[in-house]
Amino acid sequence: MEVIIQPNAELAARSVADLIAQSLLVKPDSVLGFATGCTMEPVYDHLVRKHQDEGLDFSRCRTFNLDEYVGLEVKDPCSYHYFMCRRFFDCVNIDKRNTHLPDGMADNLEAECAHYEQLIVANGGIDLQLLGIGQNGHLGFNEPLSAFRSRTRVQTLSRVTRAQNAPLFPKPKQVPRRAITMGVGTILEARRCLLLATGVEKADVIAKAIEGPLTAMVTATALQLHPACTIILDAEAAGSLQEGDHYQWITPEQNGLPIASKYVSSQPGGATPLLAVKP
Ligand code: GLP
């Protein structure tokens, strides 16, 4: 697990966008796993800017989102479909036929989940999976006690999650009770995972996810098992890490990792400064 602590949320989001852009430059038909949530908004903004200003090409990439609410129409402004179209798909040269989100309106939700898994396999698996983290440590909508080997399925949302997401709905009661989510096992099969967390409210759960014991009660701890996982934080989200000093002490050079060139930003302002790295 590689932990990168940036001074602020803006630089953290920019680092994530740089990594996604790199993946596309190396492999223009990358299969990208996308995430939603407020944390991701500046990442999509950066990617849109890279498309507009630098010609970053999305025409050949394929995308799979982590999750979608059950019972919300694609056109519902609270659906993740709507979020992805408005914040990203409509703003770049992506072929919408290559974008995928689970269909929370499907008549047969179980069949839809199985179909989603098949589609990921048919596209060759996910190259780079972007992840946020819920305040209860969930990835996607894998609520506490989700098995590490779980697959795409319908999940009943916890009270914590419904409360966390309530501000995004006109009325708290309108937050759906269920969602379709990729499973933890599905996520772990991505060739690379990239988690972004920012803000002080994520500090405690990030410390559990990175430094805590593996537990299905905090599904993000499963990422400790992933062979190629990068976690990018701002200083606030890194605030409860016990070994924060240690990560800062380990320099990219000591690790022999070509980090400096890996995270060079193409935005004006030059290289994105790195504060901490853990192998
Ligand atoms: C939702 C999503 C998660 C996301 C989480 C965090 O629950 N299903 O994938 O990580 O929100 O959202 P935010 O970035 O708004 O804190």
Side-chain angles (χ1 to χ4, degrees):
M1 202 182 248
E2 181 181 46
V3 179
I4 297 171
I5 305 171
Q6 295 284 19
N8 57 52
E10 165 63 17
L11 287 173
R14 195 196 281 190
S15 302
V16 169
D18 285 348
L19 282 176
I20 294 170
Q22 267 185 10
S23 174
L24 276 176
L25 290 177
V26 172
K27 187 179 173 196
D29 62 347
S30 286
V31 179
L32 301 174
F34 278 147
T36 48
C38 304
T39 313
M40 298 303 151
E41 292 181 3
V43 174
Y44 294 122
D45 291 347
H46 279 299
L47 288 175
V48 169
R49 223 167 294 138
K50 280 174 181 292
H51 168 68
Q52 291 169 345
D53 300 347
E54 303 165 23
L56 183 63
D57 181 16
F58 292 91
S59 64
R60 291 175 58 199
C61 80
R62 293 151 292 160
T63 71
F64 286 89
N65 265 75
L66 280 170
D67 46 14
E68 177 59 287
Y69 291 108
V70 167
L72 295 193
E73 301 271 1
V74 170
K75 290 201 171 115
D76 188 314
C78 296
S79 73
Y80 286 163
H81 269 91
Y82 188 91
F83 174 100
M84 288 307 298
C85 287
R86 187 174 48 91
R87 305 271 341 175
F88 187 56
F89 297 152
D90 289 344
C91 312
V92 296
N93 67 333
I94 205 161
D95 182 341
K96 283 237 184 112
R97 289 169 300 184
N98 291 337
T99 66
H100 307 277
L101 284 95
D103 179 4
M105 293 296 289
D107 290 336
N108 184 339
L109 292 172
E110 227 170 273
E112 169 62 15
C113 295
H115 176 61
Y116 204 65
E117 289 274 338
Q118 285 159 10
L119 266 181
I120 294 172
V121 172
N123 278 274
I126 292 171
D127 291 305
L128 177 62
Q129 177 64 57
L130 179 60
L131 297 161
I133 187 168
Q135 278 166 23
N136 62 1
H138 72 205
L139 299 176
F141 273 129
N142 288 285
E143 299 290 45
L145 281 182
S146 293
F148 282 5
R149 58 188 292 185
S150 54
R151 312 302 307 186
T152 302
R153 70 207 184 288
V154 176
Q155 268 276 275
T156 300
L157 304 184
S158 69
R159 280 189 202 156
V160 172
T161 296
R162 291 188 74 227
Q164 185 193 319
N165 292 354
L168 304 171
F169 286 78
K171 290 184 189 157
K173 278 192 171 170
Q174 290 176 1
V175 182
R177 294 186 172 274
R178 296 185 303 159
I180 294 179
T181 182
M182 278 186 204
V184 182
T186 320
I187 293 167
L188 289 180
E189 279 172 14
R191 283 183 267 284
R192 184 164 188 196
C193 285
L194 178 57
L195 185 143
L196 172 66
T198 55
V200 68
E201 64 281 359
K202 297 287 171 71
D204 288 348
V205 79
I206 276 295
K208 286 183 193 162
I210 295 173
E211 297 175 334
L214 293 182
T215 170
M217 288 301 288
V218 181
T219 51
T221 60
L223 292 175
Q224 294 176 27
L225 298 170
H226 196 280
C229 176
T230 300
I231 298 192
I232 300 188
L233 308 170
D234 68 351
E236 286 188 355
S240 297
L241 289 170
Q242 269 181 31
E243 299 294 326
D245 288 349
H246 175 63
Y247 312 145
Q248 296 197 24
W249 182 75
I250 301 173
T251 64
E253 287 76 20
Q254 280 169 316
N255 289 329
L257 298 170
I259 293 283
S261 59
K262 228 164 68 175
Y263 296 103
V264 167
S265 170
S266 50
Q267 294 292 319
T272 306
L274 283 174
L275 290 185
V277 177
K278 179 190 174 194

